Amino acid sequence: MPTRPCPLNHGRPRHHRTLQPKWHNHHRRHRPMSGRRRGPSQGLEFLTAGEDNYCCTCAQAATSVKKMNIEKFRNRDLEEYVKQHSVRQTEVQKKLMAETLKHPESKMMADPVQYQLMANLIQVINAKKVLDVGVFTGASALSAALALPEDGIVHALDISEEYTNIAKKLWSEAAVNHKITLHLAHAEDTLQKFIDSGEAGTFDFAFIDADKEGYDRYYELCLVLVRRGGIIAFDDTLWDGRVIDPSNQMPSTVAIRKLNEKLRDDQRINLSLLNIGDGLSLCFIK
Ligand SMILES: C[S@@+](CC[C@H](N)C(=O)[O-])C[C@H]1O[C@@H](n2cnc3c(N)ncnc32)[C@H](O)[C@@H]1O
């Protein structure tokens, strides 16, 4: 008779004379089989999870614990693996990210895997004119500027002088400041200004990463400004998972949920919603 504790039963022995009847009966009915799997004809189903044998109830619990651990492992370690096996950064990009990570608002910076995908898209579509809506410390604008040809331009839109002063210093170090024009004003006003000055349909790529409640308005304005065959990208469209938490009714969450529904049904674009970083939606303008 095995005396090894059931791995999911808090160290209590599987079989013992002094057991309370209920627990005792449960474990008599679910007797471990020393690694052998008993067929249904013998009345008992015994599952193997890893190297341990569990009764069927415990095995289900063990499987879900294992699954949870695998999911955690996937999220954390596989993300790191992806970064280590794909991300290419210049020294200034690395410095910018390291400096930004010390910033109290560092979580506003997007993910290097996202930057690289967008940089690759910028090159694939031969972009020359890019909108960066929400600059912060300048990582997204820097990545776009590095991907553009010498005569390319990034129009970088933000309201914060404090954040963008950090960005300007690093753009200068990366020798791309001639490719970036900063507009310090509400993004909606700047985008409208471009439309009013006749630049509709002249942009190739837009990255929208400013205040979430403004996303839909920026989208509509960017749809006017970006040409057919161009791309509008949104960061944070999974919003740390809050989009699937119905109890979360924060204005930012509600805005992103509504936008995701709108993009799904919007026939003006083809769409990809990618589970990288905090969610990256790519709108390919038809
Ligand atoms: C998430 S951060 C941008 C991160 C940046 N794209 C990056 O990859 O590091 C959002 C930025 O949007 C700016 N912002 C917020 N509301 C804005 C508005 N109405 N117009 C322009 N910029 C705004 C903030 O000042 C902040 O720098």
Side-chain angles (χ1 to χ4, degrees), residues 106-167:
S106 63
K107 66 179 187 327
M108 290 211 288
M109 183 169 57
D111 187 285
V113 177
Q114 294 177 312
Y115 295 140
Q116 187 158 308
L117 173 59
M118 292 190 286
N120 288 335
L121 289 170
I122 283 170
Q123 294 196 331
V124 160
I125 64 168
N126 293 316
K128 282 203 171 174
K129 214 171 157 187
V130 170
L131 284 162
D132 185 62
V133 183
V135 175
F136 188 39
T137 56
S140 48
L142 172 59
S143 168
L146 289 169
L148 285 173
E150 261 313 293
D151 57 346
I153 184 91
V154 180
H155 287 280
L157 284 50
D158 207 288
I159 41 172
S160 167
E161 197 163 358
E162 184 199 331
Y163 296 156
T164 53
N165 278 341
I166 305 170

Side-chain angles (χ1 to χ4, degrees), residues 225-272:
L225 288 165
V226 179
R227 65 166 167 90
R228 278 182 161 196
I231 299 167
I232 300 172
F234 291 93
D235 189 24
D236 295 324
T237 46
L238 296 178
W239 207 217
D240 213 9
R242 288 181 283 250
V243 284
I244 55 165
D245 174 6
S247 71
N248 191 312
Q249 294 296 327
M250 281 160 58
S252 52
T253 310
V254 172
I256 291 179
R257 257 189 225 124
K258 276 192 183 158
L259 178 85
N260 285 340
E261 283 163 21
K262 173 172 169 169
L263 297 182
R264 178 195 58 202
D265 302 330
D266 194 338
Q267 295 308 310
R268 296 172 293 180
I269 56 155
N270 290 320
L271 177 68
S272 286

